[in-house]
């Protein structure tokens, strides 16, 4: 483990040099690549630096016990050794997890798609609540959200909403949200007071950059049409809305919420690239289906991952058996406890798999 940490530390310090190199500073692509790589190594680097300091302090403290000390000083040194030894064990556990194989997409921005599924209008209303939950969670993380496309239902829910989230570790913290979210409550559309069960689906995709997926003009068809509001009412007479079709795959992306046709086209292409990359990623994962995550799921949109029970103020994540009786807080964006639990479950599974390989 120490050898791997030293290699990591050497690379981190080399990146420090590269980021000060005038040739790199003047090359925005290389600068961005190196800065992102360094940011991904920083936590492990800092932990390793502290670990080395603790080992040095431990060595000095143990050497002091060989000296002639009065009883009071000897007890103080022993207490210090105990504290340092506890910290050493904590740091060893921390760096062990930090050295686990990482998802290369963890540092990327994301595009999120939410759709009302089973349950009609109630599912659409719940889709809107999920959107607000994620928007508030993003705000608490200091991330930026941008609406890319929305289809509003008659009662103000979302038949579909697509938005981007930009910020550090957006995919790492949000990737567990893909799947079917179930809500159990008395719907606004129900006068009899019966509890209904509805579902909305969430898909979280790492945003593809232009270098990740190259789309040639000859491979796309661009259609324009008038933007529309809720219920299909035309809200303007100019053809500012854009639909882009990737002919080789048949994948389609539409955007009408931008300020202009060019703006909508850029956003539609952004979504299109991300969807194409997501299809390729799923195809790669399917090749190794036996190694796919079991505890936190596969990310399949049809897989039921969580239940939101209003009568009991309960949120249950079925993948890890986590139940919280604080539904209101979760829906207001307080998702940290859920994210941390899912992250730990994934790390524990990866660690177990790595140990089996050894």
């Amino acid at each position: 483990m120490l050898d791997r940490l030293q290699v990591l530390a050497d690379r981190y310090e080399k990146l420090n040099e590269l980021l000060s190199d005038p040739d790199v500073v003047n090359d925005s692509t290389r600068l961005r690549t190196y800065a992102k790589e360094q940011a991904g190594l920083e936590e492990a680097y800092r932990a390793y630096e502290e670990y080395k300091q603790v080992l040095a302090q431990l060595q000095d403290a143990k050497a002091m016990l060989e000296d002639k000390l009065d009883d009071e000083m000897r007890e103080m040194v022993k207490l210090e050794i105990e504290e340092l030894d506890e910290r050493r064990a904590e740091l060893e556990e921390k760096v062990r997890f930090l050295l686990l194989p990482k998802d290369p997409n963890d540092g990327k921005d994301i595009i999120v798609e939410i759709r009302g599924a089973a349950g009609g209008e109630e599912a659409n209303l719940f889709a809107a609540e999920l959107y607000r939950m994620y928007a508030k969670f993003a705000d608490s993380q200091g991330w930026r959200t941008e609406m890319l496309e929305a289809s509003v239902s008659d009662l103000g829910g979302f038949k579909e909403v697509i938005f981007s989230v930009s910020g550090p570790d957006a995919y790492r913290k949000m990737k567990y949200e893909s799947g079917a979210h179930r809500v159990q409550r008395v719907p606004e559309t129900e006068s009899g007071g019966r509890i209904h069960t509805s579902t909305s689906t969430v898909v979280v995709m790492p945003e593809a950059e232009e270098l990740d997926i190259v789309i040639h003009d000859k491979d796309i068809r661009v259609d324009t049409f008038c933007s529309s509001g809720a219920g299909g009412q035309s809200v303007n007479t100019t053809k500012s809305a854009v639909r882009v079709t990737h002919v080789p795959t048949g994948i389609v992306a539409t955007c009408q919420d931008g300020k202009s046709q060019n703006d909508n086209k850029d956003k539609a292409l952004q979504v299109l690239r991300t969807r194409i990359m997501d299809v390729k990623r799923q195809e790669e994962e399917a090749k190794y289906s036996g190694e796919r995550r079991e505890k936190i799921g596969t990310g399949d949109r049809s897989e039921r991952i969580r239940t939101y029970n209003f009568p009991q103020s309960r949120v249950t994540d079925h993948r890890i058996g986590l139940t919280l009786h604080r539904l209101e807080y979760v829906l207001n964006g307080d998702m940290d406890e859920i994210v941390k639990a899912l992250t730990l479950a994934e790390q524990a599974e990866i660690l177990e798999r790595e140990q089996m390989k050894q």
Side-chain angles (χ1 to χ4, degrees):
M1 183 177 75
L2 291 178
D3 290 342
R4 290 176 64 191
L5 284 168
Q6 189 57 54
V7 170
L8 179 151
D10 292 343
R11 178 58 180 169
Y12 182 90
E13 289 166 2
K14 178 62 176 178
L15 288 167
N16 260 344
E17 296 177 17
L18 289 169
L19 290 169
S20 301
D21 188 325
D23 290 338
V24 174
V25 172
N26 293 322
D27 185 334
S28 60
T29 300
R30 290 172 67 195
L31 183 66
R32 184 170 60 252
T33 300
Y34 290 150
K36 185 177 289 188
E37 182 184 356
Q38 188 191 52
L41 297 176
E42 185 163 4
E43 187 177 6
Y45 175 79
R46 300 297 178 199
Y48 179 47
E49 288 298 298
E50 185 184 354
Y51 180 72
K52 288 191 295 184
Q53 290 176 5
V54 168
L55 287 182
Q57 291 169 357
L58 257 175
Q59 187 175 6
D60 292 343
K62 289 178 178 178
M64 286 183 66
L65 288 179
E66 304 297 323
D67 298 335
K68 292 183 178 180
L69 303 173
D70 58 44
D71 291 343
E72 183 179 357
M73 180 61 72
R74 183 172 294 277
E75 286 303 312
M76 289 179 61
V77 172
K78 286 182 177 179
L79 181 60
E80 182 184 9
I81 289 174
E82 287 180 12
E83 292 174 349
L84 287 169
D85 210 37
E86 287 180 9
R87 184 56 182 158
R88 176 195 58 78
E90 290 173 0
L91 288 167
E92 283 183 354
E93 186 70 11
K94 181 176 182 177
V95 296
R96 187 176 290 111
F97 278 119
L98 290 172
L99 287 173
L100 293 175
K102 289 182 173 58
D103 188 328
N105 294 312
D106 275 355
K108 290 191 174 184
D109 297 337
I110 58 175
I111 288 179
V112 184
E113 300 180 353
I114 306 175
R115 294 178 177 84
E121 192 62 44
E122 172 64 10
N124 297 334
L125 290 168
F126 184 56
E129 287 192 66
L130 289 175
Y131 167 73
R132 286 191 291 271
M133 178 180 77
Y134 294 136
K136 288 180 179 180
F137 177 63
D139 187 57
S140 72
Q141 303 297 308
W143 300 337
R144 184 174 65 88
T145 59
E146 181 182 9
M147 181 82 73
L148 300 176
E149 178 69 7
S151 175
V152 182
S153 67
D154 292 337
L155 294 183
F158 283 130
K159 297 176 184 176
E160 175 185 65
V161 58
I162 303 171
F163 60 100
S164 63
V165 181
S166 305
D169 295 326
Y171 184 71
R172 182 175 70 84
K173 293 184 177 182
M174 285 282 291
K175 62 185 176 182
Y176 310 112
E177 295 304 303
S178 289
H181 294 243
R182 182 175 68 172
V183 60
Q184 294 174 325
R185 64 180 174 187
V186 178
E188 295 179 19
T189 54
E190 172 61 51
S191 59
R194 294 177 299 155
I195 295 175
H196 282 213
T197 298
S198 305
T199 57
S200 296
T201 60
V202 176
V203 179
V204 177
M205 299 175 288
E207 185 175 331
E209 300 176 5
E210 290 189 37
L211 292 176
D212 295 326
I213 298 292
V214 178
I215 298 177
H216 301 286
D217 289 341
K218 64 182 178 63
D219 289 334
I220 61 173
R221 185 177 70 248
V222 179
D223 300 306
T224 59
F225 54 96
C226 293
S227 298
S228 61
Q233 297 289 325
S234 178
V235 294
N236 65 49
T237 56
T238 60
K239 292 188 175 183
S240 61
V242 175
R243 181 187 302 109
V244 181
T245 303
H246 187 244
V247 177
T249 62
I251 296 173
V252 179
T254 302
C255 186
Q256 63 177 1
D257 287 357
K259 297 177 180 178
S260 67
Q261 188 179 108
N262 285 337
D263 190 27
N264 282 328
K265 181 181 177 182
D266 289 342
K267 290 179 179 180
L269 284 170
Q270 177 187 10
V271 174
L272 188 68
R273 278 193 296 269
T274 298
R275 285 178 175 168
I276 293 172
M277 188 174 79
D278 188 58
V279 168
K280 291 186 176 183
R281 182 174 60 86
Q282 290 187 47
E283 289 173 350
E284 286 298 313
E285 286 183 351
K287 293 178 183 178
Y288 306 99
S289 57
E291 298 181 10
R292 296 181 75 177
R293 295 186 295 271
E294 294 178 1
K295 290 183 180 177
I296 64 166
T298 61
D300 191 311
R301 69 184 65 190
S302 64
E303 178 187 7
R304 188 192 71 187
I305 63 168
R306 195 174 300 148
T307 293
Y308 305 74
N309 184 291
F310 276 69
Q312 299 176 14
S313 187
R314 171 174 58 83
V315 179
T316 298
D317 196 289
H318 304 289
R319 295 163 293 182
I320 56 174
L322 174 69
T323 293
L324 304 175
H325 289 277
R326 49 200 309 272
L327 174 62
E328 181 181 352
Y329 294 94
V330 172
L331 289 176
N332 276 314
D334 186 358
M335 297 174 56
D336 286 325
E337 189 171 353
I338 294 174
V339 171
K340 287 177 182 177
L342 287 164
T343 300
L344 286 173
E346 181 183 40
Q347 289 176 336
E349 185 181 355
I350 294 173
L351 182 60
E352 182 180 352
R353 193 161 61 230
E354 289 297 303
Q355 289 172 340
M356 290 177 64
K357 291 179 181 178
Q358 295 173 2

